[in-house]
Amino acid sequence: MPAISFDGSLAVPGLSIVDGLCQAGWLMQEHFISPELSRQLAAECVQSMLSGKMKGAGVGSGHAPLLQPDIRGDHIEWLEIGRSEACDRYLAHMETLRCMLNRELFLGLEEYESHFALYAPGAFYRAHLDRFRDDDKRTVSVVLYLNDDWLPEHGGALRLHPQGAPVVDILPQAGRMAMFMSGEMLHEVLPTARQRLSIAGWFRRRA
Ligand SMILES: O=C(O)CCC(=O)C(=O)O
Ligand SMILES: [Fe+2]
């Protein structure tokens, strides 16, 4: 069973998509995109914040997700094809990944939705699942990090809570990608001490 590999190798050598996602419920990869693409996306994310395009992220689905800063404090902007050359390259990567997941796992993933996320110092996202009560199409969550030189003392780890296994903390280091099952993996973003940039996305299947 082939491992996921684009520009780099798997963080856990030999871990396949099937072993990672189906058995552990999560996996992680370093160097998922090139340092150059990561820098371009990071610059775009910051620019989006400076130009006022990022909005406080809400909780829940539908037209008017509620702002609840005691639950999540990130700012987001949704990505669309044609937004920039860098975003298009990233979205092309994700299309390759979507096809690979369908080939290997028969998940029937049909769409991908994603947004830039910026957590200002002090922001966090309390423990949650990525599946809504009224919309269970989100199937696989993927987060790509865009921050150079992240240290443990900066906080801001993605903390996964796999059932029956110890928690896993993933630092949001540039080029690192974390992937997990949206409806099953309880996860949270610990309070960050430093501005934290990422692209969070979800592969969705047909209802
Ligand atoms: O940024 C992360 O590490 C996770 C973000 C997240 O859980 C979400 O946006 O649903
Ligand atoms: Fe999440």
Side-chain angles (χ1 to χ4, degrees):
M1 196 65 67
I4 297 174
S5 195
F6 290 107
D7 298 350
S9 55
L10 278 169
V12 184
L15 184 72
S16 69
I17 307 175
V18 171
D19 287 344
L21 273 187
C22 293
Q23 290 174 29
W26 68 279
L27 59 84
M28 177 177 95
Q29 192 190 341
E30 307 288 1
H31 313 300
F32 182 66
I33 58 169
S34 68
E36 184 212 357
L37 182 55
S38 178
R39 270 193 298 275
Q40 288 169 351
L41 291 169
E44 241 180 85
C45 183
V46 169
Q47 187 51 41
S48 169
M49 189 69 180
L50 292 175
S51 63
K53 285 197 213 131
M54 288 229 173
K55 305 286 177 229
V59 176
S61 66
H63 294 300
L66 281 182
L67 281 184
Q68 289 189 260
D70 52 330
I71 296 180
R72 74 182 288 191
D74 55 328
H75 283 71
I76 64 168
E77 187 196 357
W78 291 93
L79 300 192
E80 278 167 25
I81 293 174
R83 184 187 194 285
S84 69
E85 198 250 318
C87 278
D88 284 356
R89 275 171 64 199
Y90 168 73
L91 291 172
H93 248 34
M94 300 315 287
E95 180 57 15
T96 306
L97 180 54
R98 186 183 71 82
C99 295
M100 194 184 289
L101 289 172
N102 282 341
R103 219 171 33 240
E104 300 297 334
L105 293 174
F106 310 104
L107 285 174
L109 305 172
E110 295 206 316
E111 309 166 341
Y112 178 66
E113 59 179 1
S114 58
H115 60 57
F116 279 128
L118 186 149
Y119 290 72
F124 54 80
Y125 193 161
R126 296 276 184 233
H128 64 281
L129 299 176
D130 280 348
R131 199 170 262 189
F132 303 118
R133 249 165 296 171
D134 55 346
D135 173 358
D136 65 354
K137 287 186 275 208
R138 285 183 172 180
T139 303
V140 178
S141 304
V142 183
V143 194
L144 170 68
Y145 301 106
L146 305 173
N147 314 285
D148 286 328
D149 306 320
W150 199 275
L151 300 172
E153 54 265 38
H154 295 143
L158 167 66
R159 175 166 289 176
L160 303 175
H161 297 263
Q163 274 178 14
V167 298
V168 178
D169 282 359
I170 297 175
L171 294 183
Q173 175 64 30
R176 186 171 287 164
M177 178 274 278
M179 184 155 76
F180 52 88
M181 298 306 289
S182 308
E184 284 133 49
M185 181 62 72
L186 190 69
H187 61 283
E188 62 187 307
V189 176
L190 301 181
T192 184
R194 207 187 116 179
Q195 176 173 272
R196 177 190 193 271
L197 311 175
S198 61
I199 297 177
W202 299 271
F203 290 111
R204 294 157 56 94
R205 65 179 153 213
R206 210 187 332 219

